[in-house]
Amino acid sequence: MDEVKIPLATARAIVIQAQLAGTVDSALEGKQGAAAVVEKLGYVQIDTINVLNRAHHHTVWTRMPSYQLEDIYAAQAQDRTIFEYWGHAMSYLPMKDFRFTLPYKHHFNDPYGKWETERLEKYGHVMEPTLQRIREEGAMSTRDFEIEADGNRGTWWDWRPVKVALELLFWQGKLMVAERKRFQKVFDLTERVLPDWVDTHEPTDEELGRFLVRRALGAYGLANEKEIVDHLRTASKKTIVSALQEMIANREVLRVTVMSEDRTINYYALAEVLEQMDKLPGMTDEVFILSPFDNFCIQRARMKALFGFDYALECYLKPEQRKFGYFAQPIFWKDQFVGKMDVKSERKEKKLLIHHLQLEEDFQPDVHFTAALKEKLGAFTRFQGCQCYEISQFSPQSLQKQVMGK
């Protein structure tokens, strides 16, 4: 069997089970649960935007409602079951995957891009003194270094020399993030952070490619070539595609054609995933409020192809260019994206401000949905450390009475 044809409903069920509803054992909690989410998804992206609890907290909470903000800190700083590195942007990664980041780190010694070359030329001389100070004094953040006379605190490319040196040493693999204090990285020597049990043998290109294909397909359930390549950006496209073709040839990976009413979509899946299709659980009545950086919706073209959901994050646009709002959260129910809401947490007032709650035009809410939405809004409000929520605008307007009883 080289190719499998499945209906769109089955494809959605596979993806939902892989990435959302079935991500973590419900018996797991705390730091073990947080690490389990990172393990299942392959990475959890870290983001700086804090109009709500940051993206990594939100992504874990979505799959583990008992999650507390200190859980992921404990998994990193205490248990050392996860670590930070460039995955899909800056991410938490499973510690057991550490060796598969080594080839990327070793590219540091042979820069292949203008950005890397320029930074090394400009700040390379600061790296060894910075490393030596950490070697002698222990774990340090940028605040522990004296600020240079110019005091420059601009964007990434304007960082003062020591801060850039720390990031370059981190990229090179000589430093790791031992912990975060108030979201600021605390760096230490890799040998002082890395647990003894971690395998540090550098993989071959073939091993790396196979690992990345399996990581992506295990996390996504179904994925196309671009999505596989973009899942973890720690190898060249050539390395990943070569492994994918080999795995197709030995039927470890199968081609999947998703059949819908008006089109077909081509994906890949691990053979063992397709063997379990008849055991997929039914849809849950739970509503999911998703971070824009959540693994389930981060690849916008994928969401549009699978679920017909056309979504864009507008926080990077000028206010006059935004069509919906600054930080819209997609809303997912059963097997479809049903809407979105633009949200901000007013932490001092302990109030969650929902500027706009909008449902998709073709979605007709019923009492089951509105009950599930109200329950989730309450839980989401508590997760943000707020005591109440306030919704300024509803679309359609009739939703106000259903949700708020007004």
Side-chain angles (χ1 to χ4, degrees):
M1 181 175 62
D2 296 323
E3 184 176 354
V4 177
K5 294 183 179 181
I6 60 174
L8 181 59
T10 301
R12 288 178 173 178
I14 291 172
V15 170
I16 294 166
Q17 182 64 15
Q19 281 207 286
L20 196 60
T23 308
V24 63
D25 186 338
S26 59
L28 289 175
E29 295 186 342
K31 55 189 178 181
Q32 289 85 8
V37 173
V38 176
E39 161 69 22
K40 182 63 179 69
L41 295 176
Y43 76 90
V44 168
Q45 184 171 335
I46 303 169
D47 195 78
T48 59
I49 296 174
N50 66 344
V51 293
L52 297 169
N53 284 333
R54 299 185 198 273
H56 46 285
H57 295 305
H58 191 166
T59 297
V60 179
W61 174 81
T62 295
R63 294 155 178 83
M64 190 178 78
S66 63
Y67 175 76
Q68 302 294 314
L69 300 186
E70 62 268 18
D71 291 340
I72 207 161
Y73 167 86
Q76 177 187 28
Q78 298 171 9
D79 286 7
R80 304 292 194 209
T81 49
I82 61 175
F83 73 104
E84 287 186 41
Y85 197 63
W86 297 104
H88 186 99
M90 183 58 69
S91 306
Y92 288 114
L93 303 168
M95 186 65 82
K96 74 182 190 65
D97 293 351
F98 176 83
R99 78 186 190 99
F100 294 102
T101 64
L102 294 176
Y104 186 84
K105 290 168 181 172
H106 292 168
H107 271 299
F108 179 91
N109 297 317
D110 182 23
Y112 48 83
K114 180 181 178 181
W115 187 94
E116 297 92 338
T117 303
E118 288 180 349
R119 293 306 172 280
L120 281 173
E121 290 176 352
K122 188 173 182 179
Y123 301 110
H125 68 284
V126 188
M127 293 171 63
E128 185 53 39
T130 301
L131 185 65
Q132 184 62 27
R133 186 169 173 190
I134 291 177
R135 187 180 291 120
E136 294 173 354
E137 300 182 31
M140 305 178 77
S141 69
T142 53
R143 291 179 180 176
D144 296 315
F145 289 84
E146 292 182 3
I147 299 174
E148 275 73 15
D150 64 2
N152 195 342
R153 292 175 178 269
T155 55
W156 213 104
W157 48 90
D158 292 327
W159 279 347
R160 63 185 188 270
V162 167
K163 191 164 188 178
V164 178
L166 285 169
E167 292 294 335
L168 291 174
L169 289 162
F170 169 73
W171 171 32
Q172 188 179 19
K174 290 186 177 180
L175 296 180
M176 291 182 70
V177 178
E179 61 178 326
R180 281 186 181 248
K181 292 182 178 179
R182 296 184 178 180
F183 197 62
Q184 187 173 48
K185 299 172 187 173
V186 178
F187 296 95
D188 203 352
L189 300 180
T190 292
E191 57 265 33
R192 296 203 290 238
V193 177
L194 201 63
D196 294 339
W197 55 265
V198 175
D199 185 353
T200 56
H201 292 93
E202 185 167 349
T204 64
D205 281 354
E206 181 182 356
E207 287 179 304
L208 179 60
R210 286 178 53 81
F211 163 78
L212 291 172
V213 171
R214 290 197 67 89
R215 257 286 172 225
L217 290 178
Y220 287 141
L222 300 169
N224 62 30
E225 182 183 291
K226 183 180 183 302
E227 292 159 0
I228 293 170
V229 170
D230 200 44
H231 181 244
L232 291 173
R233 301 162 180 166
T234 53
S236 68
K237 178 179 178 180
K238 180 180 178 180
T239 297
I240 299 172
V241 172
S242 176
L244 175 62
Q245 295 304 318
E246 178 196 350
M247 295 167 77
I248 293 170
N250 64 28
R251 298 185 180 181
E252 189 176 349
V253 170
L254 300 178
R255 292 183 173 89
V256 180
T257 301
V258 177
M259 314 293 293
S260 66
E261 292 182 0
D262 58 346
R263 61 197 172 98
T264 60
I265 316 171
N266 297 316
Y267 287 119
Y268 299 102
L270 295 171
E272 61 261 32
V273 170
L274 297 178
E275 290 169 1
Q276 300 296 316
M277 282 193 301
D278 59 342
K279 298 180 181 179
L280 289 169
M283 291 181 290
T284 174
D285 269 342
E286 181 180 1
V287 166
F288 294 95
I289 298 171
L290 299 168
S291 164
F293 301 99
D294 192 287
N295 302 52
F296 190 66
C297 61
I298 189 67
Q299 298 205 38
R300 315 301 189 210
R302 173 179 169 84
M303 291 301 94
K304 189 171 183 179
L306 276 169
F307 298 99
F309 185 59
D310 193 4
Y311 166 74
L313 178 60
E314 299 180 334
C315 62
Y316 303 114
L317 300 178
K318 295 178 181 179
E320 62 270 19
Q321 295 175 316
R322 295 174 194 148
K323 297 179 180 179
F324 183 75
Y326 179 81
F327 204 60
Q329 315 284 290
I331 302 172
F332 191 83
W333 186 57
K334 291 192 173 181
D335 67 344
Q336 59 184 317
F337 285 92
V338 298
K340 56 192 175 185
M341 61 184 198
D342 182 33
V343 193
K344 180 182 180 182
S345 174
E346 292 291 351
R347 294 181 174 90
K348 289 184 179 180
E349 292 80 10
K350 294 189 178 299
K351 180 185 291 187
L352 187 70
L353 299 181
I354 303 174
H355 302 300
H356 191 184
L357 176 58
Q358 180 182 73
L359 298 184
E360 295 291 281
E361 290 183 2
D362 59 351
F363 175 67
Q364 298 298 319
D366 59 18
V367 293
H368 301 291
F369 167 74
T370 52
L373 177 62
K374 289 171 70 173
E375 181 180 351
K376 183 60 67 168
L377 286 174
F380 188 69
T381 299
R382 293 188 291 275
F383 166 60
Q384 301 299 334
C386 296
Q387 297 175 347
C388 63
Y389 63 86
E390 178 182 289
I391 306 177
S392 301
Q393 181 180 351
F394 292 84
S395 297
Q397 186 59 40
S398 59
L399 184 64
Q400 181 174 6
K401 184 175 181 179
Q402 294 171 285
V403 174
M404 305 297 291
K406 297 180 181 179

